[in-house]
Amino acid sequence: MSVVHDLKTPIAAAMTYLNMILDGSLGRVPDALERPLERSRIRLNNAISIVNDILQLTQLKLAEKPEISRVNLTELIDEIYQEMRILFVAKKIRFSTWINSEEDVFVEAERKLLKLGLSNLISNTHKYTEKGGRVEIHISNEGEDTLIEIADSGIGIPPDEQEKIFQDFYRSSISKRKGIEGTGLGMSVVMHIIRQFNGRIRVESPSRLADGAEHPGTAFFITLPRKYVSDAEQVAERKA
């Protein structure tokens, strides 16, 4: 954690200089240099994203027990969508949420961490779904659990790679072939968060929103207990 934090400072400094060069603060940039400088800025920005993801994942793994509260899942999903709405509108992606309940759905979790995990998943639907595609979120209560399905009509994940996407730094062959930038840490963060709340996550591709061979889509299924039980409480229950 200390090493990657120290790496961030020189990268950020180089980004500052590149921004000053490209915005003309240090004089006019020759046309022949503008494109390679812009590509350098993109690469450095990606490096900062990797550093941030490593710091984020490390902090999650070192964190003490989460601060549990009653979270309105219905409002949280809507909040995340409103923050990303312009991105979906720009790509003309049809986004919809379906809740199998007349009332709001609640779970016991740490709101900040749960928002981070769900934001990663919803952001990925935008990232890996092409213009004019579809994204749907289904929420339902089953017994003592809440089920969340986040499905898209995007590029999909090959069958033999679906379990690997939860590994640190793993990126699917399709996303690399299409040149989609990423660090390969997002799904590792998501899985760690869901497990913190005694939940489970699995992936399916093709999804039910599949639109032909080129757009098989992906669906993530999250199961969260509506009532959080700490590790200590689980041990006590087993002993009883």
Side-chain angles (χ1 to χ4, degrees), residues 76-116:
L76 184 61
I77 294 291
D78 184 62
E79 179 181 315
I80 294 169
Y81 171 68
Q82 293 303 327
E83 292 173 359
M84 300 182 187
R85 181 177 178 275
I86 188 63
L87 300 176
F88 287 98
V89 171
K91 287 180 76 172
K92 298 181 179 179
I93 294 173
R94 289 170 287 169
F95 187 103
S96 62
T97 302
W98 177 83
I99 301 173
N100 186 21
S101 173
E102 295 181 359
E103 300 177 349
D104 288 352
V105 176
F106 290 83
V107 294
E108 290 185 359
E110 182 172 313
R111 193 180 194 279
K112 180 175 65 176
L113 283 182
L114 185 57
K115 182 178 181 180
L116 173 62

Side-chain angles (χ1 to χ4, degrees), residues 10-24:
I11 295 173
M15 276 285 290
T16 300
Y17 283 116
L18 270 176
N19 288 333
M20 292 172 65
I21 293 170
L22 285 166
D23 68 14

Side-chain angles (χ1 to χ4, degrees), residues 109-175:
E110 182 172 313
R111 193 180 194 279
K112 180 175 65 176
L113 283 182
L114 185 57
K115 182 178 181 180
L116 173 62
L118 294 176
S119 293
N120 265 323
L121 287 170
I122 295 173
S123 175
N124 278 353
T125 65
H126 164 267
K127 185 176 183 179
Y128 297 111
T129 301
E130 296 175 343
K131 188 175 180 179
R134 295 166 61 198
V135 171
E136 291 184 6
I137 299 178
H138 285 198
I139 303 171
S140 61
N141 287 330
E142 289 193 12
E144 297 180 350
D145 296 328
T146 292
L147 307 182
I148 307 168
E149 178 195 5
I150 300 177
D152 63 51
S153 61
I155 63 175
I157 305 169
D160 60 340
E161 299 182 33
Q162 291 177 19
E163 291 306 313
K164 297 177 183 178
I165 65 168
F166 296 105
Q167 300 173 7
D168 293 352
F169 300 108
Y170 189 84
R171 300 189 65 234
S172 76
S173 57
I174 297 177
S175 62

Side-chain angles (χ1 to χ4, degrees), residues 48-60:
I48 289 176
S49 294
I50 293 173
V51 168
N52 287 335
D53 282 349
I54 293 172
L55 288 172
Q56 187 179 76
L57 184 60
T58 307
Q59 288 168 345
L60 283 172

Side-chain angles (χ1 to χ4, degrees), residues 196-236:
Q196 280 223 30
F197 305 132
N198 305 321
R200 304 183 302 277
I201 182 170
R202 63 183 177 87
V203 61
E204 285 185 8
S205 182
S207 76
R208 58 181 176 77
L209 298 181
D211 184 20
E214 291 297 312
H215 305 97
T218 302
F220 286 93
F221 297 87
I222 300 166
T223 303
L224 287 172
R226 291 203 297 281
K227 180 174 176 56
Y228 174 79
V229 180
S230 68
D231 291 341
E233 290 172 320
Q234 291 183 52
V235 171

